[in-house]
Amino acid sequence: MQRLLKTEKMQEEKKIILLITYDNWGFNQYIADALEEKNYTVKHIDFHSFRYKYPSFFHKAFNFFTKNLGIANLKKNYYNQTILNEIKNLSTIDTSIYIKADFLSEKTIRAVNKKSQKSVLIISDSINRYPQTKNIISLFDKVFSFEKRDCKKYDLRFKTNFIYKTSNNTTSEYQYKVFNISSFDKRFPVIKKIAEALYKMKIKSKIIIFTSKENSEPYWEFSKKPLSIEENNQLLQESEIMLDVSRDGQDGLSFRVFESLGLKKKLITTNKDIVNYDFYDPENIFVIDNIDDIKIPTSFFETPYIDVPQNILSKYLIENWVNELVE
């Protein structure tokens, strides 16, 4: 009986973490899982999963004009109201953590923070890309950014992405030498040049681009359907080296970098700032300096991966990465 009462008391004392994200790739669920492993009760509101249906064609046409004029956005209004409904029954929250909060109204953020002991915002993209973000920075107790330039400009705390998966498995029998998966966007011309260079070098690559366009080239595959995390992880296991192509104006490191660290895979990247990180080793990471003159030495594809010291690697692991959010 005493043991039962003690268990019930411990459950009552568990702190509540509210995680509000736009989890279009599913990576933010790893944050929720890591916090639950630390004995928090986590409520994860993923507003990418919200499905808004226009009441009529008139509403859809009306929203097209009003959102472009900055007057109103029916979808965003729906997102905000749904989030407020989700927290109605939460009397108190220890920490509210937001990722991708530029979708939210100031009213919604203030309503959530009023119930929270602490509020934390993580900005994973450049503020230039999502300028609305700078209007809400002052609403949070702590604000982290992956972009060093934004940290300097707006007095934010610097934070990187995280390692969500590790593996000690090494094999000499990979299906592909180089792997990349990307959306069809402004990076495509750069990916195209790299893919063509790898093809000319006779490097077997698996490069997937999400687009409805038709493909007639042997350098890549076009896919109309995004891959699940499970499918992505399977392709990662089958590939020896990863390719990372950063967006224009992006200094922050993508998940590709941290997937390569966790899985002990070499990396080819266009992100020149990577040389300033403590895990950088030219034996593991090749930085493309000139996209119009790609020269990757053959030795990079032939030499083995060099292990990163564990004391460096551990601070990027998700179980340690989350600590700073709830301190």
Side-chain angles (χ1 to χ4, degrees), residues 177-178 190-191 193-203 205 207 241-245 266-270 282-303:
K177 199 72 174 177
V178 178
V190 176
I191 295 173
K193 289 180 180 181
I194 298 171
E196 289 174 347
L198 292 170
Y199 186 79
K200 288 175 183 176
M201 292 178 69
K202 295 183 169 47
I203 300 295
S205 304
I207 296 176
I241 300 169
M242 298 178 63
L243 170 63
D244 167 58
V245 178
K266 288 192 172 189
L267 180 75
I268 299 169
T269 180
T270 61
E283 293 293 320
N284 293 338
I285 301 172
F286 181 84
V287 181
I288 296 175
D289 186 58
N290 184 355
I291 196 62
D292 295 314
D293 186 22
I294 301 171
K295 293 180 180 177
I296 307 173
T298 304
S299 60
F300 183 77
F301 298 99
E302 296 174 345
T303 53

Side-chain angles (χ1 to χ4, degrees), residues 52-68:
Y52 176 73
K53 186 176 181 180
Y54 291 104
S56 68
F57 177 78
F58 168 78
H59 287 83
K60 188 173 184 178
F62 173 79
N63 191 58
F64 175 80
F65 289 106
T66 55
K67 73 177 182 181
N68 287 324

Side-chain angles (χ1 to χ4, degrees), residues 98-163:
Y98 303 71
I99 304 175
K100 192 68 181 164
D102 56 284
F103 272 69
L104 306 179
S105 70
E106 182 176 330
K107 177 185 174 183
T108 298
I109 294 169
R110 287 189 182 281
V112 173
N113 289 353
K114 189 175 181 180
K115 293 189 173 190
S116 310
Q117 300 297 313
K118 292 172 288 188
S119 60
V120 177
L121 172 63
I122 301 170
I123 306 173
S124 55
D125 281 296
S126 126
I127 290 178
N128 277 341
R129 192 169 177 221
Y130 296 101
Q132 173 62 24
T133 306
K134 64 186 174 186
N135 299 327
I136 60 173
I137 287 173
S138 63
L139 302 177
F140 302 91
D141 297 318
K142 290 195 286 190
V143 182
F144 297 95
S145 172
F146 295 173
E147 298 288 333
K148 293 177 181 176
R149 281 180 289 190
D150 284 346
C151 288
K152 287 183 179 179
K153 186 174 180 179
Y154 299 101
D155 193 25
L156 312 177
R157 304 183 187 204
F158 177 67
K159 196 167 182 64
T160 68
N161 250 312
F162 54 81
I163 297 171

Side-chain angles (χ1 to χ4, degrees), residues 165 167 169 171 174 233-239 263 265:
K165 183 178 177 63
S167 175
N169 293 336
T171 177
Y174 292 103
N233 286 341
Q234 181 59 40
L235 287 168
L236 287 174
Q237 293 291 348
E238 295 172 355
S239 306
L263 298 175
K265 293 180 183 292

Side-chain angles (χ1 to χ4, degrees), residues 21 30 109 175:
T21 76
Y30 288 106
I109 294 169
Q175 293 290 317

Side-chain angles (χ1 to χ4, degrees), residues 7-23:
T7 302
E8 289 177 349
K9 186 178 180 181
M10 287 176 65
Q11 288 175 341
E12 287 174 7
E13 291 175 351
K14 284 176 71 172
K15 293 179 179 179
I16 295 174
I17 304 292
L18 178 65
L19 183 62
I20 301 177
T21 76
Y22 187 79
D23 201 8

